[in-house]
Each structure stands twice: as C-alpha cells, then as structure tokens.
Amino acid sequence: MKPFTYERATTPAAAAAAVAQRPEAKFIAGGTNLLDLMKLQIETPAHLIDVNDLALDRIEPMADGGLRIGALVRNTDLAADMRVRRDYAVLSRALLAGASGQLRNKATTAGNLLQRTRCPYFYDTAQPCNKRAPGSGCAAIGGISRGLAVIGVSEACIATHPSDMAVALRALDAVVETVKPDGQMRSIPIADFHRVPGETPHIETALEAGELITGVTLPPPIGGKHFYRKVRDRASYAFALVSVAAVLQPDGSGRVALGGVAHKPWRREAAEAELPKGARATAAVLLDGAKPQHDNAFKLRLAERTLAAVLDEARI
C-alpha cells in the first residue's frame, strides 16, 4: 500500500470541497472495498477523507410516506430495520444476500452503491483493463468471462456491477441524494446513477468530481410480494451469477431488476408489461440485444429460469 495522508471531515459540503480540491483524494467510510483496492495498488489515493463523523447514519420517515436512508447507515442496520423489512422487503433480502455478517456490519449504503467490479482482469494489474487503465484494452473480452456481463456491454468493457443492494433499489425506484463541492444538493434517480460502459468504463456513475452521496430515498411503499433470488457458485460470500429483485402485485403486474448480468443493475420497464405472460416473454424483452461471450451465454437461460422460479413462488 502506498503512503497517504488522512483527515476527518466535519460537514458533507466540506468533505466534497476537500476531495474536489485534491483529485488524488478519496472518501472513506467502511472501507470494505477501497482498502482492498489500495492494498493491491488498483486504487492509489494520496489523501483519504474520513466521512464517518458526519450525521448521515439515520433512517428517517419522509413526509410523503417514503423513507430516507443516510449514506452511512450500515448494511446490517438497514436490513434489520422494521420499516424496511415490512415495506421494502426486497431491499432487506438483497442486503442479507450480500457479503458476510462481518462485512455488512461495516459496509455503508453509499459504499455499497459505489462498489467497483469484481472482474478478475480488473484485479490483475498485469492484464489490460480499460476500467483500471483507460485505453489499455479489455482482457476479459475473449478471456475467461463466466461471471461477467451479457447485456449493456461494449467493445471496451464487459464487467458487471457487484452490488445486491443496488439491484433492489433499482426495482424500488430509489433516488440518490448528493452534495456538490459548492454545497448544492442534487437528486439522481437510481436508474441514472450507474452508467453502462460505452467507451469510458472507468466512469462508473453520474457523480461529478468531489460529489458526495448523503443519502438514498425510497418512495412510498408499493405493496405486493417482494423477492430477491440470487444464484451463485456457493451459498454465501459470493457474488451473483444472476440475481432477480422483484416486487409483484396480485394482478400479475410488477417490477423486475436483474443483477450479475450488466455493468449496472439491469431493468427495462417495457419488459414488465410482459410479466402476466410469464418468465420467457419477460426475459425476451429484458435481455433483448444481449451480447454474451462464450463462457457466459448460460446466463441468459439462467436469468429466465431464475425469474420463472420467482414467478412460481409468487403464485403460492
């Protein structure tokens, strides 16, 4: 790990301004992803700004009946909150499907959204990776791609986004709240927060330089049955090959988002009109335009079968 300096932020705006003034600086909260990347010298910040003292660790009701989740709320606390378990069960289930109990005790809401890919070529500094070193190429294309993306990909990157929580938030139409270095607040719909890779896979979110996530808001509860089904190589502490976050209504309508298949949580609202027709019709629209590699084409069928299992469970 390379040497770095360190300071504690006193306000969200001051934290954002401090990072904007030093392009080599990074925010740190739980550090469950950043510290690993620093040890591998994939991330090499010269300065860390600790945001743990900011008052962003509360879950609060909103006037419209929704819920506001502070950026520093730990994953364990969010999953256990009775309001989340009752009204946003898909989020609680997604959180509990991720990582381990020890990591969930440290990981934060904002940090979960900002996780970087677990693509093996991103982690191998001897291999070219446009996400790690823009313009160097993508060793994953034509390489070992079993766990990588099948849709929303580009010639520059086929990495997947690793978060479970973000997939549930996409199904719930959450909104990410931020503060900019000049103190201005911004609200970013979760649909627009994560980016597809295009020609700039190293630009992963809609955040501007120095912009700090302060919270996530959930709209009023939409009812229905909530599901999060995750298919992975082992029963715990593994990232999704495919995951399905679904909120399904008694009339057959609903919302569906996929994890493990794209550079961002993957949802196409047009596909949800097909839900009454079943998993095959829904998946056909949801995954239209997919460009799998030799090793990961199975994900298309796996996504359909996982969605079918969720729809079957919803009918019980």
Side-chain angles (χ1 to χ4, degrees):
M1 185 182 291
K2 292 187 175 181
F4 59 88
T5 53
Y6 171 90
E7 69 175 285
R8 289 182 180 270
T10 55
T11 68
V19 167
Q21 291 166 7
R22 300 185 63 169
E24 76 282 10
K26 291 279 186 180
F27 301 118
I28 187 167
T32 56
N33 188 204
L34 178 60
L35 291 177
D36 285 342
L37 295 173
M38 289 173 65
K39 291 172 184 176
L40 295 169
Q41 296 190 17
I42 294 170
E43 294 273 13
T44 55
H47 188 63
L48 292 183
I49 297 174
D50 190 329
V51 297
N52 280 296
D53 289 344
L54 306 183
L56 300 173
D57 58 352
R58 292 187 288 272
I59 304 171
E60 302 170 309
M62 297 174 62
D64 66 357
L67 210 58
R68 186 180 187 279
I69 304 161
L72 295 175
V73 173
R74 307 293 162 166
N75 287 179
T76 294
D77 296 331
L78 183 56
D81 187 271
M82 288 304 300
R83 295 161 294 185
V84 175
R85 293 175 62 187
R86 181 188 66 227
D87 297 328
Y88 308 98
V90 63
L91 176 56
S92 181
R93 291 169 181 168
L95 285 161
L96 292 173
S100 66
Q102 294 92 332
L103 285 171
R104 291 194 296 269
N105 288 342
K106 290 292 291 180
T108 63
T109 300
N112 197 312
L113 285 172
L114 295 174
Q115 288 183 81
R116 305 206 68 189
T117 185
R118 266 50 176 200
C119 173
Y121 296 98
F122 172 74
Y123 272 80
D124 184 352
T125 56
Q127 299 287 342
C129 172
N130 288 317
K131 184 178 288 294
R132 176 171 27 81
S136 63
C138 176
I141 297 176
I144 299 172
S145 59
R146 182 173 180 274
L148 301 181
V150 294
I151 192 153
V153 299
S154 73
E155 295 300 318
C157 183
I158 59 170
T160 52
H161 190 270
S163 173
D164 293 291
M165 183 194 78
V167 183
L169 291 178
R170 180 67 181 91
L172 292 169
D173 282 332
V175 174
V176 181
E177 295 184 341
T178 71
V179 61
K180 294 184 178 183
D182 62 3
Q184 290 188 4
M185 311 295 288
R186 187 158 72 121
S187 296
I188 308 171
I190 191 70
D192 301 327
F193 183 78
H194 296 104
R195 294 165 50 109
V196 293
E199 296 181 357
T200 55
H202 61 291
I203 304 175
E204 299 172 349
T205 71
L207 293 176
E208 299 174 5
E211 194 168 5
L212 174 70
I213 297 174
T214 56
V216 173
T217 60
L218 301 177
I222 58 174
K225 293 183 177 181
H226 292 223
F227 302 88
Y228 190 76
R229 184 174 288 247
K230 181 176 180 179
V231 181
R232 46 190 162 176
D233 283 328
R234 56 182 184 271
S236 67
Y237 200 58
F239 296 98
L241 291 170
V242 166
S243 65
V244 173
V247 181
L248 302 172
Q249 303 296 338
D251 64 2
S253 64
R255 301 177 181 183
V256 173
L258 299 181
V261 299
H263 198 257
K264 59 184 290 185
W266 193 255
R267 181 181 172 198
R268 281 178 172 164
E269 284 80 348
E272 294 162 3
E274 305 297 319
L275 280 169
K277 300 177 185 177
R280 179 168 295 182
T282 305
V285 178
L286 191 56
L287 296 169
D288 183 45
K291 297 179 179 179
Q293 300 286 305
H294 178 269
D295 290 342
N296 65 6
F298 73 94
K299 285 192 175 189
L300 301 178
R301 181 64 172 150
L302 182 61
E304 179 187 324
R305 291 171 66 91
T306 306
L307 177 57
V310 168
L311 294 180
D312 285 346
E313 185 177 353
R315 297 186 188 103
I316 297 175

